[in-house]
């Protein structure tokens, strides 16, 4: 039971207020109500609630307008927005103004209570994810296996989350739709979780949920698909973020085709080290996957994590090779994160027929024809090879823990990365 914390419910639908009141009262909260925005500031002054549940669509002053007033007058008061007509753009707007979270109607009991407990800093009544048992190796229960697999391994690492919620908006590379992500801190042993705006369905960032590796890595679970996760996961991998709720609508935004803005987003939020330990997956022997056309990728034991990539394309690209050895987030941010997605003009028609690259723009990819790079200057002379390493770093976070080993890859893509991960899992009993 909760020790008398007060929640103000602001919603013009009486049946919604009645339902929420019953739920919250049963959980031990004190509930006060308002049918519109007119008396809210007075109610807050009189009752000093610990949290506000605020509907967006109301007569007179809508929830977004009221949220602005609340944040100006009571910046520390947590506000959770609720809406039956929300989308990721509305959610991003509300979060930028200062909303703690955004939940869709019809309200899910579990999602509502989980959001309230996170906002109030209370422990969840149960694991914060529906699929907790399915990913029990990501951050907690199986972490000892990393130590078992690597003799003389390093001391355990600490799990990490963000200090606050942050958002970024953009466009999906393949869907072409406006999209965005909202990042919320999670307790230790939660893992990296993707969810829709409602928060009632989650998809873990884990190998078991990979559904597609054609031109991007996509995850699927319980009817929800999350596309183009690799650049974002690479950033979480580099910064050691182990617990995070990622609210999204369909596809991670492509931004400028690199991971640089994701680095800035993590740094804006700040990183919180958590008390619980976790460990690296320490590669115990060489694992290798070969494919048709001379593609191959392997990983060998090493003292740190790194990746070497070799690519050969006809002119104007030619041969590019780059070796990256991780020395922490800043080495990733300077060497790998700025490297952008690239594509060839001759492939665009094929991809369009497949329903892909609908969001491709001259500003978010390196576009190459038979003679030259036609839309930009390279940020590095081997930017294409570095971008392939970015993809590898992201895909290799789908075992749920950082990896210690050296990867070498030749002309490979997401399918090969995932195949090698499966070999590692089988060989190491993860």
């Amino acid at each position: 039971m909760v020790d008398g914390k007060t929640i103000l419910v602001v919603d013009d639908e009486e049946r919604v207020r009645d339902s929420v009141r019953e739920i919250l009262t049963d959980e031990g909260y004190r509930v006060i109500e308002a049918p519109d925005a007119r008396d809210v500031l007075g109610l807050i002054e009189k009752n000093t609630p610990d949290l506000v549940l605020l509907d967006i669509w109301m007569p007179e002053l809508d929830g977004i307008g009221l949220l602005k007033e609340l944040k100006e007058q009571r910046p520390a008061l947590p506000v959770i927005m609720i809406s039956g007509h929300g989308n990721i753009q509305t959610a991003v707007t509300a979060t930028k103004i200062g909303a703690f979270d955004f939940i869709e109607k019809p309200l899910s009991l579990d999602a509502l209570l989980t959001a309230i407990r996170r906002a109030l800093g209370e422990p969840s009544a149960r694991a914060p994810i529906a699929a907790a048992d399915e990913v029990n190796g990501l951050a907690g229960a199986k972490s000892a296996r990393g130590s078992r697999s690597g003799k003389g391994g390093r001391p355990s690492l600490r799990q990490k989350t963000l200090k606050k919620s942050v958002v970024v908006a953009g466009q999906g590379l393949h869907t072409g739709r406006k999209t965005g992500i909202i990042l919320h801190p999670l307790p230790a042993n939660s893992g990296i979780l993707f969810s829709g705006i409602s928060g009632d369905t989650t998809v873990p960032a884990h190998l078991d949920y990979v559904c597609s590796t054609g031109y991007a890595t996509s995850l699927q679970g319980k009817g929800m698909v999350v596309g183009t996760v690799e650049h974002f996961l690479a950033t979480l991998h580099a910064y050691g973020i182990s617990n995070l709720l990622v609210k999204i609508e369909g596809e991670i935004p492509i931004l400028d085709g690199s991971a640089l803005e994701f680095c800035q987003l993590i740094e804006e939020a700040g990183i919180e080290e958590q008390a619980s330990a976790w460990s690296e997956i320490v590669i115990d022997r060489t694992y290798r996957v070969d494919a048709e056309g001379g593609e191959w990728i392997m990983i060998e034991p090493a003292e740190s994590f790194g990746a070497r990539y070799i690519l050969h394309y006809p002119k104007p690209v030619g041969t590019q090779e780059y070796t990256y050895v991780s020395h922490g987030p800043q080495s990733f941010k300077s060497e790998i994160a700025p490297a952008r997605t690239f594509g060839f003009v001759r492939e665009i028609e094929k991809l369009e027929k497949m329903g892909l690259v609908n969001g491709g723009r001259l500003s978010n990819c390196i576009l190459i024809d038979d003679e030259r790079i036609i839309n930009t200057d390279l940020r590095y002379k081997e930017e294409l090879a570095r971008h392939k390493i970015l993809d590898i770093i992201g895909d290799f976070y789908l075992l749920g823990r950082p990896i210690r080993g050296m990867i070498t890859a030749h002309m490979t893509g997401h399918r090969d990365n995932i195949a090698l991960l499966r070999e590692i899992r089988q060989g190491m009993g993860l």
Side-chain angles (χ1 to χ4, degrees):
M1 295 291 286
V2 181
D3 187 17
K5 289 188 176 178
T6 299
I7 297 177
L8 170 60
V9 180
V10 186
D11 197 302
D12 62 331
E13 295 184 70
E14 185 176 0
R15 60 180 181 81
V16 172
R17 299 198 307 274
D18 290 344
S19 297
V20 172
R21 183 196 330 111
E22 290 178 12
I23 292 167
L24 299 185
T25 300
D26 286 345
E27 293 295 318
Y29 296 102
R30 173 176 172 252
V31 178
I32 54 177
E33 304 170 35
D36 52 49
R38 288 176 297 181
D39 299 324
V40 166
L41 296 177
L43 282 171
I44 289 174
E45 187 69 29
K46 182 178 179 180
N47 295 274
T48 59
D50 300 282
L51 172 71
V52 176
L53 292 178
L54 178 57
D55 186 29
I56 284 188
W57 303 110
M58 295 186 298
E60 300 180 20
L61 182 63
D62 67 11
I64 293 293
L66 180 56
L67 175 64
K68 291 178 181 177
E69 290 192 21
L70 289 175
K71 285 296 155 183
E72 288 173 0
Q73 298 192 27
R74 302 242 178 184
L77 178 63
V79 179
I80 296 174
M81 307 299 292
I82 54 178
S83 174
H85 308 282
N87 56 37
I88 192 67
Q89 294 301 308
T90 310
V92 165
T93 298
T95 307
K96 284 183 175 179
I97 293 170
F100 179 85
D101 205 344
F102 185 105
I103 303 176
E104 283 184 306
K105 295 177 183 175
L107 298 175
S108 158
L109 172 60
D110 287 344
L112 176 63
L113 292 178
T114 297
I116 287 172
R117 288 173 179 136
R118 285 195 299 109
L120 294 174
E122 299 170 350
S124 179
R126 59 188 186 95
I129 43 173
D133 292 338
E134 301 169 29
V135 289
N136 58 1
L138 300 196
K142 293 185 182 176
S143 61
R145 288 187 176 177
S147 299
R148 183 198 70 187
S149 302
K151 296 176 182 178
R154 295 175 180 172
S156 293
L157 306 172
R158 292 292 178 187
Q159 296 182 36
K160 295 176 183 176
T161 189
L162 301 185
K163 289 183 177 179
K164 65 176 184 178
S165 298
V166 286
V167 301
V168 67
Q171 188 171 40
L173 174 62
H174 293 298
T175 63
R177 293 197 302 262
K178 289 185 177 180
T179 183
I181 53 174
I182 305 171
L183 310 183
H184 294 299
L186 280 183
N189 301 321
S190 298
I192 307 299
L193 304 168
F194 294 97
S195 84
I197 301 174
S198 65
D200 57 349
T201 298
T202 57
V203 180
H206 191 266
L207 180 62
D208 289 338
Y209 295 85
V210 173
C211 66
S212 173
T213 53
Y215 299 98
T217 299
S218 298
L219 308 174
Q220 182 175 15
K222 297 183 179 178
M224 178 181 174
V225 176
V226 185
T228 319
V229 299
E230 58 271 14
H231 304 168
F232 177 66
L233 288 181
T235 309
L236 300 186
H237 193 170
Y239 282 77
I241 305 300
S242 50
N243 303 299
L244 195 66
L245 178 63
V246 185
K247 288 198 168 187
I248 183 171
E249 194 170 64
E251 187 180 10
I252 300 287
I254 190 62
L255 304 176
D256 73 343
S258 80
L260 192 56
E261 195 167 341
F262 293 132
C263 295
Q264 296 163 352
L265 194 66
I266 297 300
E267 292 174 3
E268 175 192 341
I271 297 172
E272 179 180 307
E273 189 171 279
Q274 297 170 302
S276 297
W278 69 337
S279 61
E280 297 171 310
I281 295 171
V282 182
I283 297 301
D284 57 347
R285 62 178 175 84
T286 298
Y287 296 86
R288 178 171 172 136
V289 169
D290 292 271
E292 295 180 3
E295 298 176 10
W296 56 268
I297 183 170
M298 70 177 187
I299 188 168
E300 303 170 282
E303 288 302 310
S304 58
F305 175 75
R308 172 177 171 239
Y309 196 92
I310 310 110
L311 61 78
H312 307 282
Y313 286 113
K315 291 183 178 180
V317 176
T319 298
Q320 290 191 12
E321 178 178 337
Y322 192 74
T323 299
Y324 169 72
V325 177
S326 175
H327 296 290
Q330 292 309 309
S331 67
F332 171 80
K333 185 179 179 182
S334 63
E335 294 182 54
I336 301 300
R340 294 163 292 175
T341 295
F342 63 92
F344 296 89
V345 173
R346 61 181 177 269
E347 293 183 346
I348 297 299
E349 183 177 352
K350 173 186 173 183
L351 294 174
E352 288 176 340
K353 288 180 178 178
M354 296 170 61
L356 301 175
V357 299
N358 293 311
R361 299 290 183 271
L362 293 178
S363 60
N364 61 23
C365 69
I366 300 168
L367 194 58
I368 307 164
D369 68 10
D370 292 335
E371 298 180 356
R372 62 191 176 92
I373 294 170
I374 64 177
N375 66 322
T376 186
D377 295 322
L378 292 182
R379 292 174 176 173
Y380 312 96
K381 66 178 181 180
E382 62 292 276
E383 184 171 358
L384 278 60
R386 294 193 195 212
H387 184 81
K388 287 290 191 176
I389 292 174
L390 173 63
D391 288 344
I392 287 171
I393 295 170
D395 287 341
F396 269 71
Y397 208 35
L398 288 168
L399 285 177
R401 305 207 313 273
I403 291 177
R404 195 197 314 177
M406 186 67 190
I407 300 163
T408 306
H410 176 263
M411 294 298 289
T412 50
H414 297 291
R415 178 182 61 184
D416 309 294
N417 299 341
I418 298 305
L420 183 56
L421 286 179
R422 289 183 173 133
E423 289 290 320
I424 294 168
R425 179 170 66 175
Q426 181 177 352
M428 297 183 67
L430 298 171

